[in-house]
């Protein structure tokens, strides 16, 4: 008896490891997964779609089936409802893969029930179906993401029960295309990797001091002049200029194409027109919109923030902003529109006659809460909020919009640490947490700055490592009553020092995968060791296969 117990004890760790190995490596991890015995072969499987599913969902299932057919070497067909009988084997039992619409499931949710003979996929909506498909892909060999046949691979998925839904409804990335311009193809490549890891918002930074990137019919000079700068500062030498003309912009047709491409992947694109600061490219295009004595203007070749700002005391300037936002709003069907509001120097407003006249007209005063000029910016924010509401949009602004007074219904994006988000949520505003301390992907990925690309990080303590981002908890320090105001989490990829697609991807990956677990997984469902195992065992090979550049794990 003792000998039997000894044998069991010796083999127990091996059995335990074997049990762990059959758990599929999925990022972000599902909220609930229960493993059972066996596996379901997907090679040449029948895939059946519930007639209640919409055409977009059926199309997504067919795309999955076509790729599975290609890489496995055996056709997997999608059956119409009348073809369900084809999925019954000789014993009269069901076989195949079934996609079923289940209205009891919350938005973006799905359930998988996988047995040796068949699998049932229940989805709450289109995004839920997309995420179920991504989970199925991650349970298969990496070659499912490729376009080369791999018939010798194990084309099966382990039997299990998965119930999954996102922790947060807003799961975003900001892509800055102003400091450096990136092609349509590169933007789509970012959308592709967002899709794999279940992110659903692309915050697209389209205007800044260093370049204007969106075509506006009523103001053609914005792209004729504002989209290009005469050189860029070299490294951290603020007085240098490489003399290389840089720029570009997206036509309305290209923007519609990107918005459509994103929507197919369950991603909503949110435009940002940053105002009333960060507008030097616009001022270089239309100098009459500036404050008295501020000209001349030139699209900035430096980083940082220009002190030259729009003259918001003139009605002409406000009509300019409304005209622009009207044209941009038509391009983006989502509910949100980001108006920036950050880092707006107000010194010029103190001496500009138009701005001072507007302050007097509005009865704005300086008190212990805010200056009259800060309240002038509140006026701009409130007016743009009202105007965009008439276009069916809700505004998002950086946490500076909290200074002074903020109208009800605005959403605050907390970037200067977490305090702005905590304050806004406590005041009853919706919040997107995006603290630079955890979520700025232009920050170095290691404290060893000598072995990282030159970037904005000067202090090693400010590095945003993979571990630091992964362990960010959005609810920390929030009053219990304010928790429900947190819509989600976003990381920001600013591109002052990022000029090439390879560098862009290096800064994005694999930190985007850590972000996906912060956004998707409940706090008690995160496990950093499991996450690292998934990266090295499955996720990084996927990036390799798809041709992404990424930072190797330490």
């Amino acid at each position: 008896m003792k000998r039997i117990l000894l044998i069991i004890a010796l083999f127990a760790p091996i059995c335990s490891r074997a049990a762990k190995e059959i758990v599929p490596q999925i990022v972000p991890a599902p909220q609930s997964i229960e493993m059972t015995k066996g596996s379901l072969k997907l090679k040449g499987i029948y895939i059946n779609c519930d007639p209640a599913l919409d055409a977009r969902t059926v199309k997504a299932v067919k795309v999955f089936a076509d790729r599975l057919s290609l890489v496995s070497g055996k056709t997997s067909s999608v059956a119409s409802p009348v073809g369900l009988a084809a999925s019954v084997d000789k014993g009269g039992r069901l076989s195949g893969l079934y996609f079923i619409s289940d209205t009891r499931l919350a938005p973006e949710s799905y359930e998988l029930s996988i047995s040796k003979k068949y699998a049932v996929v229940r989805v709450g909506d289109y995004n839920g179906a997309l995420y179920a498909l991504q989970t199925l892909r991650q349970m298969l060999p990496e070659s499912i993401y490729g376009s080369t046949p791999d018939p010798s691979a194990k084309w099966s998925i382990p039997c299990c029960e998965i119930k999954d839904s996102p922790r947060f409804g807003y799961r975003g990335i900001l892509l800055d295309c102003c400091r450096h311009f990136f092609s349509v193809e590169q933007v789509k490549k970012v959308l592709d990797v967002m899709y794999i890891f279940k992110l659903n918002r692309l915050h697209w930074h389209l205007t800044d001091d260093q370049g204007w990137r969106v075509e506006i019919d009523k103001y053609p000079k914005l792209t004729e002049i504002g989209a290009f700068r005469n050189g860029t500062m070299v490294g951290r030498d603020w007085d240098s200029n490489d003399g290389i003309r840089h720029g570009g912009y997206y036509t309305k047709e290209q923007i519609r194409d990107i918005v459509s491409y994103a929507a197919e992947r369950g991603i909503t694109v949110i435009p940002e027109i940053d105002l009333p600061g960060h507008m030097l490219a616009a001022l270089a295009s239309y100098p009459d919109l500036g404050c008295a004595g501020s000209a001349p203007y030139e699209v900035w070749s430096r980083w940082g923030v220009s002190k030259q700002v729009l003259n918001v005391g003139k009605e002409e300037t406000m009509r300019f902003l409304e005209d622009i936002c009207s044209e941009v709003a038509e391009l983006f069907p989502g509910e949100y529109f980001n108006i920036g509001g950050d880092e707006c120097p107000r010194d010029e407003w103190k001496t500009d006659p138009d701005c001072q006249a507007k302050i007097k007209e509005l009865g704005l005063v300086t008190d212990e809460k805010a200056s009259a000029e800060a309240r002038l910016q509140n006026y701009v924010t409130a007016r743009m909020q009202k105007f965009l509401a008439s276009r069916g949009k809700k505004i998002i602004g950086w946490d500076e919009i909290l200074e002074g007074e903020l109208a009800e219904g605005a959403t605050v994006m907390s970037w200067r640490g977490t305090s702005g988000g905590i304050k806004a949520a406590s005041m009853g505003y919706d919040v997107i947490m995006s603290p630079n301390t955890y979520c700025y992907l232009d920050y170095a990925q290691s404290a060893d700055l000598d072995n990282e690309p030159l970037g904005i990080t000067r202090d090693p303590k400010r590095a945003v490592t993979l571990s630091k981002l992964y362990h960010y908890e959005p609810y920390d320090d929030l009053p219990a009553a304010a928790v429900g105001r947190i819509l989600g989490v976003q990381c920001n990829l600013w591109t002052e020092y990022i000029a090439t697609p390879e560098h862009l991807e290096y800064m994005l990956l694999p930190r985007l995968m850590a972000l996906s677990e912060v956004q998707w997984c409940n706090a008690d469902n995160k496990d950093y060791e499991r996450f690292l195992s998934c990266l090295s065992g499955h996720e990084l090979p996927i990036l390799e296969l798809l041709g992404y550049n990424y930072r190797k794990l330490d």
Side-chain angles (χ1 to χ4, degrees):
M1 182 66 180
K2 289 183 179 179
R3 185 178 179 184
I4 293 172
L5 291 174
L6 177 61
I7 292 172
I8 291 172
L10 288 172
F11 278 91
I14 298 174
C15 295
S16 175
R17 285 196 297 273
K20 287 184 179 179
E21 287 172 358
I22 67 169
V23 177
Q25 295 181 316
I26 302 167
V27 173
Q31 303 295 4
S32 168
I33 180 167
E34 182 180 343
M35 305 306 300
T36 54
K37 292 182 179 180
S39 61
L40 171 67
K41 294 180 180 179
L42 288 191
K43 192 172 182 178
I45 198 168
Y46 286 104
I47 302 177
N48 304 277
C49 289
D50 184 345
L53 295 172
D54 63 13
R56 288 197 308 165
T57 301
V58 174
K59 179 182 176 182
V61 174
K62 288 181 177 178
V63 169
F64 171 77
D66 290 344
R67 179 57 58 90
L68 182 60
S69 298
L70 172 65
V71 295
S72 71
K74 192 171 182 180
T75 300
S76 294
S77 57
V78 178
S80 63
V82 295
L84 294 180
S87 296
V88 180
D89 67 12
K90 293 180 181 179
R93 292 167 297 186
L94 291 174
S95 63
L97 181 57
Y98 295 84
F99 281 81
I100 297 174
S101 175
D102 192 335
T103 55
R104 69 182 174 84
L105 294 179
E108 300 194 297
S109 301
Y110 68 93
E111 294 180 357
L112 297 179
S113 180
I114 302 167
S115 68
K116 295 178 183 179
K117 275 293 181 183
Y118 65 90
V120 175
V121 184
R122 298 182 181 276
V123 300
D125 59 4
Y126 177 65
N127 274 29
L130 295 181
Y131 303 147
L133 287 166
Q134 287 298 353
T135 295
L136 288 171
R137 286 186 180 98
Q138 290 200 34
M139 295 167 78
L140 289 166
E142 299 93 65
S143 46
I144 187 67
Y145 291 92
S147 56
T148 302
D150 188 12
S152 62
K154 187 178 180 181
W155 293 105
S156 62
I157 51 178
C159 295
C160 60
E161 301 285 332
I162 293 177
K163 293 183 179 180
D164 204 10
S165 60
R167 182 185 189 188
F168 295 108
Y170 186 108
R171 304 181 303 282
I173 278 282
L174 175 144
L175 178 62
D176 169 19
C177 291
C178 299
R179 278 48 179 266
H180 282 98
F181 179 74
F182 292 93
S183 69
V184 170
E185 290 69 27
Q186 186 60 36
V187 175
K188 288 183 176 180
K189 202 173 179 187
V190 171
L191 289 167
D192 287 340
V193 77
M194 290 174 64
Y195 173 38
I196 293 172
F197 298 104
K198 303 184 175 83
L199 278 71
N200 66 355
R201 297 289 191 279
L202 176 68
H203 174 173
W204 202 4
H205 189 71
L206 290 168
T207 67
D208 217 302
D209 293 326
Q210 294 83 7
W212 187 279
R213 304 294 179 223
V214 53
E215 182 180 42
I216 303 295
D217 294 334
K218 193 167 184 177
Y219 300 97
K221 290 182 181 179
L222 287 171
T223 46
E224 292 171 6
I225 297 173
F228 301 90
R229 63 175 180 262
N230 294 317
T232 303
M233 64 179 280
V234 179
R236 293 198 177 100
D237 183 355
W238 294 90
D239 296 320
S240 65
N241 189 313
D242 62 13
I244 301 171
R245 182 172 165 84
H246 178 85
Y249 65 92
Y250 305 100
T251 66
K252 287 188 172 182
E253 182 179 357
Q254 288 174 324
I255 289 173
R256 291 188 185 99
D257 176 45
I258 287 172
V259 168
S260 174
Y261 188 88
E264 287 181 1
R265 288 151 182 78
I267 299 168
T268 301
V269 184
I270 300 172
E272 181 181 355
I273 304 298
D274 203 348
L275 60 94
H278 288 283
M279 272 280 176
L280 187 52
L283 287 168
S285 307
Y286 294 93
D288 290 346
L289 301 176
C291 294
S294 184
Y297 301 104
E298 184 177 354
V299 181
W300 232 19
S301 61
R302 305 172 66 183
W303 310 136
V305 182
S306 171
K307 292 184 178 180
Q308 296 170 301
V309 297
L310 291 173
N311 182 346
V312 296
K314 293 200 296 188
E315 186 60 24
E316 177 189 356
T317 303
M318 297 307 299
R319 285 198 302 269
F320 169 79
L321 292 177
E322 290 172 352
D323 290 341
I324 286 169
C325 290
S326 180
E327 287 196 31
V328 173
E330 291 177 359
L331 297 171
F332 297 89
E335 65 176 327
Y336 288 110
F337 192 113
N338 195 304
I339 62 168
D342 62 311
E343 299 179 320
C344 179
R346 302 167 184 138
D347 293 342
E348 291 188 340
W349 293 351
K350 294 177 181 178
T351 57
D352 180 80
D354 296 316
C355 292
Q356 288 301 308
K358 180 59 71 172
I359 286 173
K360 184 176 181 180
E361 174 193 332
L362 297 172
L364 306 179
V365 296
T366 297
D367 57 25
E368 66 279 0
K369 292 184 178 180
S371 67
E373 287 72 29
R375 296 187 187 283
L376 181 61
Q377 185 172 346
N378 295 156
Y379 152 75
V380 176
T381 301
R383 180 161 167 177
M384 295 311 301
Q385 180 177 358
K386 184 177 180 180
F387 175 80
L388 285 164
S390 73
R391 300 299 190 272
K393 305 294 182 185
K394 299 177 182 178
I395 67 160
I396 300 174
W398 300 103
D399 54 51
E400 285 94 331
I401 66 173
L402 280 171
E403 297 171 11
E405 304 293 336
L406 181 61
E408 184 179 349
T411 296
V412 175
M413 186 166 279
S414 183
W415 74 276
R416 295 178 297 179
T418 60
S419 58
I422 294 169
K423 177 182 176 181
S426 300
M427 293 170 65
Y429 293 103
D430 286 342
V431 172
I432 298 160
M433 298 301 287
S434 189
N436 56 358
T437 44
Y438 295 95
C439 295
Y440 268 41
L441 301 187
D442 54 328
Y443 287 17
Q445 301 183 67
S446 166
D448 182 11
L449 300 183
D450 291 339
N451 288 306
E452 292 294 328
L454 178 68
I456 204 162
T457 309
R458 294 171 181 260
D459 182 354
K461 294 179 182 178
R462 301 201 69 179
V464 175
T465 64
L466 188 70
S467 174
K468 185 176 184 179
L469 172 53
Y470 187 87
H471 289 99
Y472 170 52
E473 171 46 53
Y475 289 160
D476 278 352
D477 301 320
L478 270 171
V483 165
R485 286 293 182 177
I486 306 301
L487 301 182
V489 179
Q490 175 176 292
C491 273
N492 301 329
L493 186 51
W494 303 105
T495 61
E496 283 93 339
Y497 291 93
I498 301 171
T500 67
E502 293 77 16
H503 191 182
L504 182 82
E505 293 170 12
Y506 176 91
M507 301 303 284
L508 184 65
L509 302 167
R511 289 186 291 185
L512 178 140
M513 287 104 105
L515 170 65
S516 77
E517 296 228 338
V518 174
Q519 296 168 331
W520 187 277
C521 302
N522 292 335
D524 59 1
N525 203 33
K526 290 167 61 184
D527 181 330
Y528 190 58
E529 294 305 316
R530 171 201 52 78
F531 171 72
L532 289 179
S533 176
C534 289
L535 290 195
S536 58
H538 194 61
E539 311 311 321
L540 295 183
I542 290 173
L543 297 183
E544 197 82 38
L545 180 65
L546 292 173
Y548 286 93
N549 187 42
Y550 61 90
R551 186 183 188 277
K552 304 299 187 287
L553 298 180
D554 292 326

